[in-house]
Amino acid sequence: MSRPNHAAKVDAIAAWLLPALVVLLTAAVFLPALHNGFVNWDDEDNYLRNLNFRGLGWTQLRWMFTTFQGSLYRPLTWVTLGLDYLLWQMNPFGYHLTSLLLHVLNSLLFYFLAGRLFRLAVRNPDPSSGFASRIAAGFAALFFAVHPLRVEPVAWISARNDLVC
């Protein structure tokens, strides 16, 4: 087997293995959040006593796009929460599952964006620069994904707006 052919095969394997690794590790780290309930801080006012976000009818959508609940304007976040209500009613497991899936998706998008930026940064690419860019993107995405600042948006439903951003 010639050397360039071997490098191409390794790069092809890395092309799907590294993003899969980012997805799996991110999900594994935040899996315990699925067992959280609603938090006694903002979740009670935002969800447990708030009937306005429950669903995606015209009344709910009008409220979502005009409210400043909690002094924040976040209509897309409310839309995701309205969808959660349709799927899960008031079961916090479903809300946390949605947050986990959004975070995993964000981490995967971060991987591809970082990979693209690393490839653009290389002025004279050689055949191994694609593999190196993938490795660097994998580390960058994992650093983003499992950083302690990511815990709050995944584990606390009222911080969903960070995931939607």
Side-chain angles (χ1 to χ4, degrees), residues 51-68:
L51 303 178
N52 296 309
F53 81 95
R54 297 180 182 188
L56 292 175
W58 287 115
T59 303
Q60 291 88 5
L61 288 170
R62 183 173 50 248
W63 179 84
M64 291 172 188
F65 282 89
T66 59
T67 189
F68 284 85

Side-chain angles (χ1 to χ4, degrees), residues 5-23 108 111-112 115 119 127-139 141-142:
N5 192 16
H6 178 70
K9 286 183 180 184
V10 169
D11 191 47
I13 291 170
W16 66 266
L17 184 62
L18 287 170
L21 190 62
V22 167
V23 166
L108 187 61
Y111 167 80
F112 288 114
R119 282 190 300 279
S128 67
S129 68
F131 180 72
S133 295
R134 291 185 205 289
I135 294 291
F139 278 115
L142 285 174

